Every structure is written in C-alpha cells, then in structure tokens.
Amino acid sequence: MKVLVPVKRVVDYNVKVRVKSDGTGVDIANVKMSMNPFDEIAVEEAVRLREKGVVTEVIAVSCGVTQCTETLRTAMAIGADRAILVETNAELQPLAVAKLLKALAEKEGPHLFIMGKQAIDDDSNQTGQMLAALLDWPQATFASKVEMTGDTVNVTREVDGGLETLALQLPAVVTTDLRLNEPRYVTLPNIMKAKKKPLDEKTPADYGVDVTPRLSVAKTTEPEARKAGVIVKTVDELVAKLKEAGAI
C-alpha cells in the first residue's frame, strides 16, 4: 500500500512575520523556513502506519521553488521512503496544487493521501477538499485518529458535538489535525540517511498542469495592535468603560 504525503515550505511558526512596506504580501527575505506543522504531522502518521505494517511505501511530495528540497529531505529524515519535487517559481494556489497532486496520483497510484488540513501561511484549508473532488475519492478532514483495516480507513474527527468516526473505502484523502500525533525528533543519523534517499524533480509541464494563479491579493496589512487593558475598581466603573467602548 502506497501513501502520498504533500508537504509545504512555509515561514517557520516561531518567526514573527512582517508585511512588505508596499502591502503586496509577507516579507520572506532572510526568514527561517520550515515544513508546515500540519504536514509534519501527516508525515509522522504515514510513517507510523508503515511501521505497523499496513503501509509499504511513503512518498513525500512538494510543489514550489528549488529550496523545497530541504523540506522534502526533512520528510525523508522523519521516515518517508522517497520524495518528488514539482519545481516552479509560480505562485501556487490551492487549486493548482490539487491539480498537480491529482496528476501525481494518476502516475503513482497511491491508496491514500495524508496531508495537513491547512498551511499556516495562507490558512486556506482547501487543497485536501479540492483534491478529493478532482479524484472523486472519499475524504475525511481534521483527523485526530487514523486506523487502517484492510481496504478501509477509519478516521476519528473532533466536531462541535464530540467525536465523529468515518469509515472510508480506499483510495481516500485524509487531512490531519493537531491532536493526531506528535512528530518525532529528527536525529542526525536520519538526516544523513535522508540525503541518500531518491528525490525526483519534475515540473508542472511534465504533468500537463497549468498553474497560472486565478486569484490576486489586493492588499496585505498587519493586524491591528492590541490595546493595553484598563484596571477598574468598581462594577459601576466597569459598566461605564464598557459603554464607552460600545461593548454594551
């Protein structure tokens, strides 16, 4: 059984992002980049399924610039068997990525996609759903538990009313949430082993996919600065402050 795990190179979650002075986007010059945290969880889950013997091969996939090879090497250090980079300098939007992944699925023939529910840079939360629609595969989003039994994958999701468990017939698409697992620490020996694992480089043209952006960002702005709190001594003073602020 083959599992494909898409991974995205994003600004590291510890970095305080800065908006460009002209408002055209986020400044990523000389900024630390790393694997999207939700994708890291997806890689960990796929590797755990392989360690249980229910998966035979884990393939990490990334779409983007040449530096995405670093992200793929990290995925292989976690435990992915091989990697594929679809290299392009174009601005990739969710639909374009979903189309590339569909083309990869037709070529590689995976039984399962495990992918992060969203990327922490654009927070679109669209690629997994679009991919499932394009492939006409069943999907389970925001997974907090994944179990494989034969040709079925059982996925537990956290919903407003508690937990929901879905049984999907393979092939299927699963997107991961934070509570699914805690990714392992990547050791130096595994980083060295990852350098010897195969990494294929392709382009969107190899798959016949047009990745021209369909959306344009009109403006990017910093969030409004949080105002300092005010200490009040009485309930009446609290009520008066709330009225001033228009809260009541």
Side-chain angles (χ1 to χ4, degrees), residues 1-7 39 41-51 53-61 75 79-84 101 104-105 108-115 131 137 146 148 153 170-176:
M1 183 178 293
K2 188 183 294 185
V3 176
L4 251 62
V5 186
V7 296
D39 297 342
I41 291 170
V43 175
E44 174 66 27
E45 191 64 23
V47 172
R48 290 187 186 189
L49 290 173
R50 191 196 60 208
E51 290 171 346
V54 295
V55 167
T56 55
E57 186 179 25
V58 176
I59 306 169
V61 180
D81 299 293
R82 59 186 176 94
I84 301 171
L101 294 177
L104 273 164
E108 294 290 339
H111 299 82
L112 182 65
F113 270 95
I114 302 181
M115 54 201 302
L131 175 61
W137 287 7
V146 176
M148 304 281 291
V153 54
L170 297 177
V173 176
V174 174
T175 68
T176 63

Side-chain angles (χ1 to χ4, degrees), residues 157-164:
R157 309 171 65 241
E158 294 183 9
V159 295
D160 290 343
L163 298 177
E164 177 183 70

Side-chain angles (χ1 to χ4, degrees), residues 135-246:
L135 290 170
D136 196 22
W137 287 7
Q139 63 173 313
T141 55
F142 315 121
S144 61
K145 186 177 181 181
V146 176
E147 294 178 317
M148 304 281 291
T149 54
D151 291 334
T152 304
V153 54
N154 296 316
V155 179
T156 301
R157 309 171 65 241
E158 294 183 9
V159 295
D160 290 343
L163 298 177
E164 177 183 70
T165 302
L166 303 177
L168 312 178
Q169 287 293 320
L170 297 177
V173 176
V174 174
T175 68
T176 63
D177 213 336
L178 282 174
R179 290 183 178 84
L180 180 58
N181 62 52
E182 184 175 341
R184 68 194 66 189
Y185 177 76
V186 179
T187 62
L188 181 59
N190 286 335
I191 292 173
M192 300 306 293
K193 290 177 184 177
K195 293 181 179 180
K196 298 180 181 179
K197 292 183 179 180
L199 194 160
D200 295 332
E201 295 184 6
K202 302 289 184 180
T203 65
D206 294 332
Y207 298 104
V209 176
D210 179 13
V211 296
T212 303
R214 294 167 177 256
L215 306 173
S216 61
V217 177
K219 189 177 183 182
T220 304
T221 59
E222 294 272 6
E224 188 177 335
R226 191 171 180 179
K227 296 179 180 178
V230 177
I231 299 175
V232 296
K233 296 180 179 179
T234 65
V235 173
D236 291 339
E237 189 179 352
L238 171 62
V239 173
K241 289 288 185 184
L242 291 174
K243 286 181 178 179
E244 287 176 14

